[in-house]
Amino acid sequence: MVQWNCLLCNWNDEDTDNRGQVWILDQKLDQPMEEEAKRLRNMYKEKKFSALMILQLAFQSLGVVYGDLGTSPLYVFYNTFPDKIEDPEDIIGALSLIIYSLSLVPLLKYVFIVCRANDNGQGGTFALYSLLCRHANIMIIPNQDQTDEELTTYSRSIFPEKSFAARTKRWLEENAFKKTALLVLVLIGSCMVIGDGILTPAISVLSAVGGINVGHSMISNDVVVLVAVAILVGLFSMQHYGTDRVGWLFAPVVLIWFFLIGGIGIFNIWRYDSSVLKAFSPVYIYRYFKRGGKDSWTSLGGIMLSITGTEALFADLSHFPVASIQIAFTVIVFPCLLLAYSGQAAYLLKNPKCVGGAFYHSIPDKIYWPVFLVATAAAVVASQATISATFSLVKQALALGCFPRVKVIHTSKKFRNQIYIPDINWILMILCIAVTAGFKNQTQIGNASGTAVVIVMLVTTLLITLIMILVWRCHWTIVLIFTGLSLVVECTYFSAVLLKVNQGGWVPLVIAAAFFIIMYAWHYGTAKRYEFEVHSKVSMAWILGLGPSLGLVRVPGIGLVYTELASGVPNIFSHFITNLPAIHSVLVFVCVKYLPVHMVPEEERFLVKRIGPKNFHMFRCVARYGYQDLHKKDHQFEKKLFDNLLLFVRFESLMEGSSDSELSSLDGEEIDQSGNILFNNNGNTCHPNAGNTVSSEDSIVIVNSSLLANNTIRSYSQASCQIETDELEFLTACRDVGVVHILGNTAVKARRDSGLYKKITVDYIYAFLRKICRENSVIFNVPQESLLNVGQIMYV
């Protein structure tokens, strides 16, 4: 049963002309209904899968997630011993390092710990950052409010004030430097992932095609490079079709690949030397370093390549549930990789001079060319995984204001996470071809790839440490053990790859530096622009002084004024009305806001409120999106906005016209913190955020349209009903006349007293990026025939 209460509370809003009181409806739920509401709230957090579905998804994950990790046996031993093998015992030591690297990093750390730190199924550095932003106030652009926290997808933990998590939260929030440092850390990790998206296709395809040279020694290395470049051009040229078109091929190819390398490994262990299995003892790691000294330490850069693809595993997490990822790795990937590396080691014990192209040399002659074809196909799949991960990361960065506006295309109607970004695709292709043709060998590209991967892992470790404290609320001893062990392993590898910076390791550093400058400069300019708009908002007193006509001629029609502000009137509006003689009869300030969540359900997308008195006909509409949502795909955005505006007007009149008898049961203790209400036409409970969200003055209220359609509350006065009807007819008539989209075409410049760093960042880098990126009108899907740009210069 639902008992309705009407509550009286005070409000104070800069969008209104005076202070007063507003009536808010609330309800009391009995226990079963509260449990049902909680269940619906968790609907977007958890998805239940049957055991059969988990196994099916585990099979499919092989093609999308594990292609990069699975093709590492093509080049690991060659990069570990680029010159020659001095002592056969070194092979056992290197194999032991590979075994424990695979066990500690991909298996223990990523598959069973890091994958649990997903943001509603989304992985990657920006997903971790979004998760942290919901649990601590660390965003540089503070455009969130309490209403956003009521979204079904806005999950967060609450911890005691004196807990270790609370102290960590206050430590992060206490100054802007720590917030900026955390953002820089995230950007560095993201840039390294982009660099890996360039290097992985290069080394995977070049290593796979290198089998031609092994099978026919008469073919020169230049021919191998040309074939690799041709495959890369074809791979990037097919990206616009999307992985959904060819995805059904990926999993079988990679599954066959794993079975082949595992079977070849068993054969080689049996045929050449089964004593390689003693490498499972960590004693041989100690002997390896004691015997080789600095050379053994330097070889860690090659062994590091055995765990490349682990970072792509986490970035591609959005396609599959964690359980399927874990099953696929523990049942197929992990054992097959161990067998593959052990088999190569057994072969090299008897043939130490064949370390160059060790994988192809160890293949039995009868199945050489079939394995070569499968290896080439698997290399393409591995490249696809890192390219898709790069697209996903750029999309997340774009939504969080850390990347210039680029075109994003959804390539699948079934899978929302499969996207294609043309600009990024061609940049990746050009750089990938340049790396392949420039180095022409696996060693230097392998050094570069190792540098990128280990830096991504270090960034992930630091972010996961904060996740364990703020989100999981782990005891500090557990956090210390995890962080300590991870840093010991990863810093060891990092020290080794630093020794190879001059041997190709500089490539990802240069690539990452270029992308970092782009991403940080864009975010810096966006943050300064937002600060300018916040501090230069138009006061309501000035607008009210203009009167209902706003000092202009109000012409029929609706004007949608786009702004980045979720509250207040933007400065661009004053610039508009002081330079034009007329303005539309209805004005709606539209704020398209991206939140640190993976998605915003369609029914919770819009917040609507009124600005000023009713005869001003001014409204605000905040459209909220997550970093996986795509506003460009919302072709009915204008219609949905207007429908929510009409719903707001009807509900506002309904509240104002309620009779005194309905408001007699005032109980200030019954209202929840957000002022949310919940009701539908049959008395059943649904989630507080399951309906359209509107606001009367500053009070956000959740309603279901069936309430109005079925007249659940009927006792509002005839006068209020007439006022509602008149305003609805007025709004509809204005919409029929036409809708004009008003956008600010602003130029951002640094103030004259700014420092050199700020002038270079704002006046040159940010200004250049704004010129070459997409216009807001294209991103907002605004028809050109109804677009009005208003120019302005901002001095930040």
Side-chain angles (χ1 to χ4, degrees), residues 413-528:
K413 295 181 179 179
K414 299 187 219 174
F415 307 104
R416 61 186 293 125
N417 298 315
Q418 293 188 4
I419 58 175
Y420 167 65
I421 305 178
D423 298 333
I424 300 300
N425 181 68
W426 302 125
I427 291 174
L428 291 179
M429 186 189 76
I430 293 171
L431 293 177
C432 187
I433 292 174
V435 168
T436 304
F439 287 125
K440 297 183 180 180
N441 67 80
Q442 306 170 25
T443 304
Q444 290 183 312
I445 302 177
N447 295 338
S449 180
T451 304
V453 170
V454 73
I455 293 176
V456 174
M457 289 181 176
L458 284 170
V459 171
T460 303
T461 296
L462 297 177
L463 293 178
I464 290 294
T465 300
L466 293 176
I467 295 291
M468 295 177 75
I469 297 172
L470 297 177
V471 182
W472 295 346
R473 290 176 288 173
C474 297
H475 194 273
W476 66 268
T477 55
I478 299 176
V479 177
L480 185 62
I481 292 172
F482 169 81
T483 307
L485 288 176
S486 298
L487 290 179
V488 166
V489 174
E490 290 158 8
C491 287
T492 301
Y493 279 121
F494 184 63
S495 64
V497 298
L498 284 179
L499 299 175
K500 296 189 175 183
V501 169
N502 62 339
Q503 301 174 30
W506 57 270
V507 174
L509 300 179
V510 172
I511 294 173
F515 276 97
F516 178 82
I517 292 172
I518 292 172
M519 296 172 76
Y520 185 78
W522 182 264
H523 186 273
Y524 181 82
T526 302
K528 291 299 179 184

Side-chain angles (χ1 to χ4, degrees), residues 242-528:
T243 56
D244 187 35
R245 301 283 182 91
V246 293
W248 61 274
L249 279 175
F250 285 4
V253 167
V254 177
L255 181 62
I256 294 171
W257 168 251
F258 277 119
F259 284 159
L260 279 175
I261 62 175
I264 293 172
I266 294 174
F267 174 78
N268 287 334
I269 293 171
W270 169 78
R271 180 179 179 182
Y272 294 104
D273 196 342
S274 61
S275 66
V276 293
L277 298 178
K278 62 185 180 183
F280 282 87
S281 171
V283 173
Y284 291 92
I285 297 177
Y286 168 75
R287 294 179 181 176
Y288 179 68
F289 287 121
K290 183 179 179 181
R291 183 171 52 252
K294 183 180 178 182
D295 291 338
S296 297
W297 195 269
T298 305
S299 69
L300 287 175
I303 293 171
M304 173 71 199
L305 298 178
S306 65
I307 55 177
T308 56
T310 307
E311 73 291 343
L313 178 155
F314 184 52
D316 286 324
L317 188 65
S318 60
H319 299 282
F320 306 97
V322 174
S324 64
I325 299 285
Q326 294 172 339
I327 291 173
F329 188 84
T330 54
V331 175
I332 297 177
V333 178
F334 185 63
C336 289
L337 286 176
L338 293 183
L339 290 172
Y341 288 117
S342 299
Q344 286 189 50
Y347 174 82
L348 289 175
L349 283 174
K350 301 298 182 181
N351 304 277
K353 295 182 179 180
C354 296
V355 67
F359 172 78
Y360 282 111
H361 283 298
S362 66
I363 299 174
D365 294 337
K366 293 182 179 180
I367 60 171
Y368 183 87
W369 291 112
V371 173
F372 168 78
L373 294 176
V374 176
T376 305
V380 172
V381 173
S383 304
Q384 180 63 57
T386 56
I387 295 170
S388 299
T390 303
F391 289 161
S392 178
L393 184 143
V394 171
K395 174 64 176 67
Q396 294 175 9
L398 178 65
L400 295 175
C402 296
F403 204 87
R405 297 182 297 267
V406 292
K407 184 177 183 179
V408 179
I409 300 173
H410 275 259
T411 59
S412 173
K413 295 181 179 179
K414 299 187 219 174
F415 307 104
R416 61 186 293 125
N417 298 315
Q418 293 188 4
I419 58 175
Y420 167 65
I421 305 178
D423 298 333
I424 300 300
N425 181 68
W426 302 125
I427 291 174
L428 291 179
M429 186 189 76
I430 293 171
L431 293 177
C432 187
I433 292 174
V435 168
T436 304
F439 287 125
K440 297 183 180 180
N441 67 80
Q442 306 170 25
T443 304
Q444 290 183 312
I445 302 177
N447 295 338
S449 180
T451 304
V453 170
V454 73
I455 293 176
V456 174
M457 289 181 176
L458 284 170
V459 171
T460 303
T461 296
L462 297 177
L463 293 178
I464 290 294
T465 300
L466 293 176
I467 295 291
M468 295 177 75
I469 297 172
L470 297 177
V471 182
W472 295 346
R473 290 176 288 173
C474 297
H475 194 273
W476 66 268
T477 55
I478 299 176
V479 177
L480 185 62
I481 292 172
F482 169 81
T483 307
L485 288 176
S486 298
L487 290 179
V488 166
V489 174
E490 290 158 8
C491 287
T492 301
Y493 279 121
F494 184 63
S495 64
V497 298
L498 284 179
L499 299 175
K500 296 189 175 183
V501 169
N502 62 339
Q503 301 174 30
W506 57 270
V507 174
L509 300 179
V510 172
I511 294 173
F515 276 97
F516 178 82
I517 292 172
I518 292 172
M519 296 172 76
Y520 185 78
W522 182 264
H523 186 273
Y524 181 82
T526 302
K528 291 299 179 184

Side-chain angles (χ1 to χ4, degrees), residues 50-62 251 320 324 327:
S50 64
L52 183 62
M53 180 62 70
I54 289 290
L55 293 176
Q56 180 182 349
L57 292 172
F59 166 72
Q60 294 177 356
S61 70
L62 292 173
F320 306 97
S324 64
I327 291 173

